[in-house]
Amino acid sequence: MYKHTVNHTVFVFTSLAELMAKASPLRSGDQLAGLSAHSYQERVAAQMALADLSLRTFIEEPLIPYETDEVTRLIFDTHDAENFQRISHLTVGDFRNYLLENSTQKAALTAIQKAITPEMAAAVSKIMNIQDLILVSSKCEVVTRFRNTIGLKGHLSTRLQPNHPTDDMKGILASVVDGIYNGSGDAVIGINPATDNVATQIRLLNMLEDVRVRCLLPTQSCVLSHITNTILAIEQGAPVDLVFQSIGGTEKTNSSFGINLALIKEGYEAALSLGRGSIGNNVMYFETGQGSSLSANAHHGIDQQTLEARAYAVARAFDPLLVNTVVGFIGPEYLFDSKQIIRAGLEDHFCGKIMGLPMGCDVCYTNHAEADQDDMDILLTLLGTAGCNFIMGVPGADDIMLNYQSTSFHDALYARQLLGLRPAPEFEEWLLKMGIMNPQLQIVHSDASQKLMKMITS
Amino acid sequence: MEKDTWHLLSQYTHARIAMGRAGTSLPTHEILRFKMAHSLAKDAIQSEVDTSALTEALHAMEIHTIAVKSQVTDRNDYLRHPNKGRVLDLRSKKDIEASPRNKTDLCIIVADGLSANAVNLHVIPLLKSLLPQIKDLTLSPVVIAKYSRVALSDAIGELLNARMALILIGERPGLSSPNSMGAYLTYQPATGNTDEKRNCVSNIHPEGLGYEAAAAKLSYLLHQMLIRQISGVHLKDDHRDTHLI
């Protein structure tokens, strides 16, 4: 039991899960689950009680029992006890101060990545303001490699997302060309297929492979199918660069996605065995998002932000190239409006980064949420300052297959220009060579750039 | 402003490509075109089912109707509490109980969902294509449901003693399709059914899956459901997609 007294009023929290949930900034999903604080005071009292808690509490008291949940087992079995010595004496409140200290820089943050459990990351995020989340994230650097280098400080990459409602090859290719001409696609060229069909997946993979080989494009491709389909595609000899999967923070959530840790490992090993990465072996692409566990009726009375951080423990076990929090896709019953979406995006990026993950964000919303493109501009700009590894590049920010709005190729150009951020170095070199971009990072359409069009259309 | 030299690619997709740039940003007319599309989607979510027009049109087709409502109180409540949209309010339950409830093959439900405009536009033309193809089935009155989620069809179908429920519901609006309608079919509608027990035909609107094609698919699925006495993931949609040819 946890207590906090403010002006003679005693606030009581019967469990660690309840304390975490009530300390969580307001979320419609937590309200829907009946977990959120009943008043503003109760929320801050919970945050005060949480701030006084030793980080060791999270090692002593699992939120979901070790015996019943394989994600809990993963968290405990892979905890870096040695480096935890550096922070084990701290309370959650002290930990926030420590992260913000001028003397705490990249090396110190990198050293404790695996000593930070998801629950510790979530707890400290709950008592941090938006500027804290941004400042600490910006001190982290998580670099991953496959055919290029993603996540270096001062760089912002994009996933080119060329979806089409009927998986029409020419339609997808048209969006790919438009994206490349706008300097997009260095994180990955990744298609969400409209159909759940291995044959289509293989056709799409072959098409992307053809473009990459013809143009000597220093990037990787992915078709975002269920991992079992991708494993079948690998068995059938398809050119699979990255293995994709949506993941959640509890065993039950993952089982609702039709996966478990053993299956992810199978996909991971299958991709590694292909040895297709030219400069690195980060072969996994994971997507997450607050609210997925409640949606799957698998939340165990734990708030959605804490469960999201637990999903990062799953991702961390497989050295991913990219982890993408698809923050506003889930809808208003989980993240009601732009205020909730913006804060959630920054929390996810922060929690992932301090846990050592290559975090990107699908800055996005659905039309039934209280948000619009102005709100996406705000979140995009903040994530740019926070050092986000990658964002989405969707033609005109309008995904015509998934029916939601994300960020456009133009949005990425805006962020790069405003904040002086560059594409992945290998990709930048290629864009310069092709005459698509000039050394000032401006998009130019020189005669040289027409070469690409000829290569693709021939 | 700089135009893109690859407009010819626009013939292959209706994605927003080759839009040109003002500096690195989108040109003015593209920004405004996007905002208009977004405003259509926002307005669609706030739209209401035109119950009187639908009732009148259905009566003209000699179809009885019942108007009902879920436990949701307003649009905001609808968005925040999906569960309330799956349960009938007390009065609606009584209204259904007071209506003829002899056992039928099929109960059709018309629901606002996230775009009432979609059902206002597409329900009557779709039913005009569908009904002649399912003359062999007995029908319950058509239920027009406000603030409804898909699973409200379980509560309604169960009360009406129908062997199958077909709910026509406004889909989440996208920028390129603000008024798209979905159809969900359930064999033996019963409270507590989950999504794997349903078959879905989505994207029904003239620019997507047209009325004739949608009606043919629905008729096929309904007849298959009656023969095989199942619905959902175990009932594969083997009907030929003529609209794609």
Side-chain angles (χ1 to χ4, degrees):
Chain A
M1 193 165 68
Y2 302 87
K3 279 189 202 170
H4 199 81
T5 307
V6 185
N7 300 332
H8 309 295
T9 308
V10 185
F11 292 91
V12 178
F13 309 98
T14 54
S15 67
L16 184 56
E18 185 190 337
L19 179 67
M20 295 279 275
K22 292 202 162 157
S24 213
L26 183 66
R27 292 295 132 86
S28 52
D30 292 335
Q31 289 179 307
L32 184 62
L35 298 173
S36 62
H38 297 300
S39 66
Y40 288 89
Q41 275 185 68
E42 190 189 20
R43 177 168 297 111
V44 181
Q47 290 173 349
M48 287 172 161
L50 187 60
D52 288 343
L53 217 61
S54 163
L55 288 182
R56 272 194 290 266
T57 313
F58 299 100
I59 296 300
E60 289 153 8
E61 200 175 326
L63 288 183
I64 308 174
Y66 185 91
E67 296 72 25
T68 57
D69 185 278
E70 66 170 2
V71 178
T72 300
R73 289 198 287 279
L74 175 71
I75 292 166
F76 279 74
D77 295 349
T78 58
H79 185 239
D80 178 355
E82 193 185 323
N83 282 301
F84 186 58
Q85 302 298 327
R86 299 169 186 239
I87 52 172
S88 61
H89 58 290
L90 300 175
T91 62
V92 173
D94 294 335
F95 187 40
R96 174 185 169 277
N97 293 334
Y98 171 77
L99 293 171
L100 288 164
E101 285 293 347
N102 290 329
S103 54
T104 307
Q105 291 298 335
K106 194 177 91 182
L109 289 168
T110 305
I112 58 170
Q113 282 169 353
K114 289 185 174 161
I116 301 173
T117 65
E119 289 81 359
M120 293 174 199
V124 73
S125 81
K126 292 178 196 299
I127 58 162
M128 291 170 88
N129 291 349
I130 278 190
Q131 61 168 277
D132 303 340
L133 298 171
I134 293 174
L135 189 61
V136 176
S137 301
S138 77
K139 296 199 275 187
C140 300
E141 186 180 40
V142 180
V143 179
T144 54
R145 293 181 179 86
F146 188 78
R147 286 195 193 96
N148 56 22
T149 312
I150 299 166
L152 291 169
K153 243 184 208 316
H155 294 256
L156 174 66
S157 296
T158 56
R159 164 189 164 193
L160 201 172
Q161 182 171 315
N163 299 341
H164 189 279
T166 60
D167 291 332
D168 181 83
M169 295 288 155
K170 284 186 175 167
I172 287 173
L173 190 54
S175 292
V176 170
V177 172
D178 191 59
I180 292 174
Y181 270 152
N182 282 297
S184 184
D186 48 342
V188 62
I189 301 177
I191 305 167
N192 296 92
T195 50
D196 172 30
N197 178 313
V198 180
T200 305
Q201 180 177 2
I202 294 175
R203 270 209 310 281
L204 292 169
L205 285 167
N206 283 329
M207 189 258 286
L208 292 179
E209 177 71 353
D210 187 45
V211 171
R212 182 185 74 78
V213 171
R214 279 200 211 190
C215 305
L216 301 171
L217 198 60
T219 190
Q220 36 283 330
S221 67
C222 186
V223 173
L224 285 72
S225 299
H226 193 267
I227 194 165
T228 48
N229 285 8
T230 304
I231 291 171
L232 286 174
I234 291 174
E235 283 168 8
Q236 292 175 36
V240 172
D241 289 343
L242 305 183
V243 170
F244 167 81
Q245 185 54 47
S246 290
I247 53 171
T250 70
E251 180 175 335
K252 245 176 109 182
T253 311
N254 287 329
S255 126
S256 84
F257 293 155
I259 57 162
N260 54 40
L261 296 176
L263 184 61
I264 302 175
K265 186 159 181 271
E266 192 187 330
Y268 172 61
E269 286 170 353
L272 277 182
S273 75
L274 298 179
R276 291 174 56 84
S278 55
I279 61 165
N281 273 321
N282 300 112
V283 294
M284 300 302 287
Y285 174 10
F286 293 116
E287 285 190 350
T288 64
Q290 291 189 24
S292 63
S293 293
L294 175 58
S295 170
N297 212 1
H299 63 80
H300 298 266
I302 300 166
D303 69 88
Q304 63 186 35
Q305 191 262 330
T306 301
L307 291 172
E308 171 72 6
R310 284 172 57 99
Y312 304 151
V314 175
R316 186 160 69 173
F318 302 98
D319 300 323
L321 183 78
L322 309 163
V323 178
N324 178 20
T325 168
V326 190
V327 69
F329 187 74
I330 193 158
E333 58 268 46
Y334 303 95
L335 294 169
F336 188 70
D337 55 16
S338 54
K339 185 174 172 66
Q340 296 186 10
I341 294 172
I342 289 167
R343 165 118 194 154
L346 293 163
E347 286 168 351
D348 294 352
H349 178 255
F350 162 82
C351 289
K353 275 284 167 75
I354 64 166
M355 289 174 62
L357 287 166
M359 291 305 293
C361 182
D362 190 344
V363 175
C364 66
Y365 63 105
T366 58
N367 286 314
H368 58 321
E370 277 305 308
D372 62 20
Q373 222 58 30
D374 283 343
D375 301 310
M376 299 305 105
D377 288 351
I378 293 170
L379 179 53
L380 166 63
T381 309
L382 295 179
L383 282 167
T385 62
C388 186
N389 284 26
F390 67 100
I391 56 169
M392 303 306 108
V394 178
D398 170 14
D399 190 307
I400 59 171
M401 197 278 282
L402 293 171
N403 276 335
Y404 78 120
Q405 285 89 254
S406 179
T407 45
S408 64
F409 307 136
H410 297 71
D411 291 333
L413 293 174
Y414 145 80
R416 281 177 182 166
Q417 184 187 45
L418 178 75
L419 302 169
L421 302 170
R422 316 183 74 91
E426 301 82 355
F427 197 77
E428 178 180 325
E429 195 184 312
W430 182 87
L431 289 170
L432 291 169
K433 199 172 77 192
M434 296 300 290
I436 293 170
M437 210 172 70
N438 68 20
Q440 291 74 48
L441 301 185
Q442 292 158 340
I443 296 295
V444 285
H445 295 129
S446 64
D447 290 341
S449 72
Q450 296 303 315
K451 271 195 305 194
L452 177 69
M453 187 82 155
K454 288 199 190 89
M455 275 188 211
I456 289 172
T457 52
S458 63
Chain B
M1 201 204 95
E2 201 178 339
K3 286 190 175 165
D4 291 333
T5 52
W6 55 92
H7 318 350
L8 65 115
L9 292 182
S10 299
Q11 67 185 300
Y12 300 115
T13 177
H14 62 284
R16 292 168 195 266
I17 64 166
M19 294 191 293
R21 282 164 294 102
T24 53
S25 305
L26 283 173
T28 304
H29 73 276
E30 291 292 353
I31 285 285
L32 292 174
R33 192 167 73 90
F34 181 99
K35 280 192 175 174
M36 181 53 80
H38 184 236
S39 71
L40 288 173
K42 293 303 279 185
D43 287 345
I45 286 163
Q46 295 303 326
S47 63
E48 302 273 343
V49 172
D50 190 344
T51 310
S52 59
L54 280 175
T55 306
E56 203 176 305
L58 290 164
H59 287 178
M61 294 160 71
E62 296 181 350
I63 297 168
H64 293 291
T65 59
I66 310 173
V68 302
K69 191 173 88 52
S70 74
Q71 292 189 349
V72 165
T73 52
D74 56 35
R75 191 50 63 181
N76 190 348
D77 194 32
Y78 179 81
L79 294 175
R80 282 183 181 269
H81 297 107
N83 284 336
K84 289 191 188 175
R86 298 178 183 127
V87 187
L88 284 166
D89 73 0
L90 208 58
R91 198 179 144 183
S92 300
K93 202 166 169 237
K94 284 184 178 158
D95 286 350
I96 294 182
E97 280 166 350
S99 68
R101 294 193 290 151
N102 40 318
K103 198 154 182 65
T104 61
D105 292 323
L106 176 65
C107 138
I108 298 174
I109 300 118
V110 174
D112 45 5
L114 286 167
S115 171
N117 281 346
V119 291
N120 290 339
L121 289 167
H122 308 314
V123 160
I124 299 299
L126 175 72
L127 289 181
K128 284 187 171 159
S129 296
L130 176 64
L131 293 178
Q133 300 186 41
I134 54 170
K135 276 187 182 152
D136 52 325
L137 307 184
T138 53
L139 297 187
S140 302
V142 168
V143 178
I144 301 172
K146 193 175 163 81
Y147 299 138
S148 170
R149 299 268 170 182
V150 170
L152 194 69
S153 61
D154 282 328
I156 295 170
E158 193 172 34
L159 274 179
L160 282 172
N161 288 309
R163 284 154 90 183
M164 301 183 288
L166 163 63
I167 183 168
L168 303 171
I169 189 165
E171 291 180 335
R172 195 181 79 193
L175 295 200
S176 47
S177 54
N179 299 312
S180 175
M181 184 169 79
Y184 291 81
L185 306 97
T186 315
Y187 184 78
Q188 281 184 344
T191 304
N193 277 348
T194 49
D195 288 341
E196 74 263 18
K197 289 199 77 173
R198 305 185 207 290
N199 289 85
C200 171
V201 175
S202 63
N203 201 27
I204 303 172
H205 59 111
E207 297 79 35
L209 183 65
Y211 303 133
E212 281 300 329
K217 207 179 248 294
L218 290 172
S219 165
Y220 172 83
L221 285 168
L222 288 168
H223 286 107
Q224 283 295 310
M225 279 162 58
L226 271 186
I227 295 167
R228 301 189 51 199
Q229 306 196 354
I230 51 164
S231 60
V233 288
H234 298 297
L235 180 69
K236 290 285 178 210
D237 176 9
D238 297 324
H239 183 252
R240 214 160 143 233
D241 288 316
T242 44
H243 70 286
L244 294 175
I245 295 170

